[in-house]
Amino acid sequence: LTGRFRTVESVRYEETKAGPWVRAKDFAKVVKRSKLPEFVTAQTRWIDVSLALQTLTLYEGKKATYVTLISSGANLVGDPETGPSTPRGTFAIQRAAVVAPLEGKEVQDAHEVLDVPWVLRIADGVELFGAYFADRSGEARFHHDIGLSPIDARRVFAWAVGEAPLGWNAWEIPEAERVAVVVRP
């Protein structure tokens, strides 16, 4: 984007560097982080989740290497203890599963989801997973979990924990190998 925009009949358009103008509602703008967590070093691999932007960014040190849309807890500013809000803070990937069951409350018991792919647990009751049943990413809709498109979930899974040990579906991540996940407002 060039930074130039126009509003026509209450619709905002942004100019692209290639020339065409696009409706602002048709794309997601990811803002580069200006302040990184204190634990970040040149070798640190970590994940940044922005609830406000509904994005997930993979970092290698201070360099962003991949960005995608997510769907977090439905209430962006709520208390995770009392409602459908994703907990905020710094976590670490504790467990990985190629497939795992999804609690009905994550989809407001609207339908039955038996198993979801590419599951990374970051805290008790909070997981990143492939939401194959969701029609769009980028909208807060779950209870506590963070849903990604299946292809993005596979990429994040492989980047964070590698391949599953032969014949295994799920395993605990050794503490020294855990990737940090920062979930921020």
Side-chain angles (χ1 to χ4, degrees):
L1 300 175
T2 65
R4 295 179 55 200
F5 67 93
R6 300 263 191 285
T7 302
V8 178
E9 296 179 8
S10 301
V11 177
R12 181 180 170 119
Y13 293 86
E14 303 244 2
E15 183 182 38
T16 65
K17 288 184 179 179
W21 292 75
V22 294
R23 289 185 309 180
K25 73 175 195 171
D26 290 338
F27 65 89
K29 196 185 308 186
V30 179
V31 180
K32 185 177 179 181
R33 281 194 73 157
S34 58
K35 185 177 180 194
L36 301 176
E38 291 181 12
F39 67 82
V40 174
T41 68
Q43 291 77 35
T44 307
R45 291 180 341 121
W46 60 288
I47 298 172
D48 179 53
V49 174
S50 170
L51 298 177
L53 297 175
Q54 291 292 290
T55 58
L56 177 146
T57 306
L58 302 180
Y59 276 89
E60 294 182 14
K62 297 177 182 181
K63 181 181 179 187
T65 59
Y66 187 73
V67 179
T68 189
L69 294 173
I70 62 156
S71 292
S72 67
N75 187 344
L76 296 178
V77 295
D79 180 359
E81 296 293 323
T82 60
S85 182
T86 300
R88 293 165 295 283
T90 300
F91 306 94
I93 297 172
Q94 305 167 354
R95 187 172 193 276
V98 176
V99 295
L102 183 71
E103 289 187 50
K105 70 179 180 182
E106 289 300 331
V107 291
Q108 293 77 38
D109 292 313
H111 51 274
E112 185 176 18
V113 178
L114 298 178
D115 287 321
V116 291
W118 317 119
V119 181
L120 299 170
R121 180 185 298 153
I122 62 172
D124 288 340
V126 184
E127 299 173 329
L128 285 79
F129 68 93
Y132 62 85
F133 51 86
D135 55 353
R136 291 191 318 254
S137 293
E139 296 177 1
R141 69 178 67 206
F142 296 112
H143 191 73
H144 290 110
D145 288 350
I146 299 169
L148 298 98
S149 72
I151 192 76
D152 288 331
R154 172 68 175 113
R155 184 175 191 142
V156 171
F157 187 95
W159 180 87
V161 299
E163 295 297 322
L166 190 60
W168 290 28
N169 176 62
W171 67 101
E172 299 294 320
I173 307 300
E175 206 163 317
E177 297 173 21
R178 292 181 179 178
V179 172
V181 179
V182 177
V183 180
R184 60 189 171 97

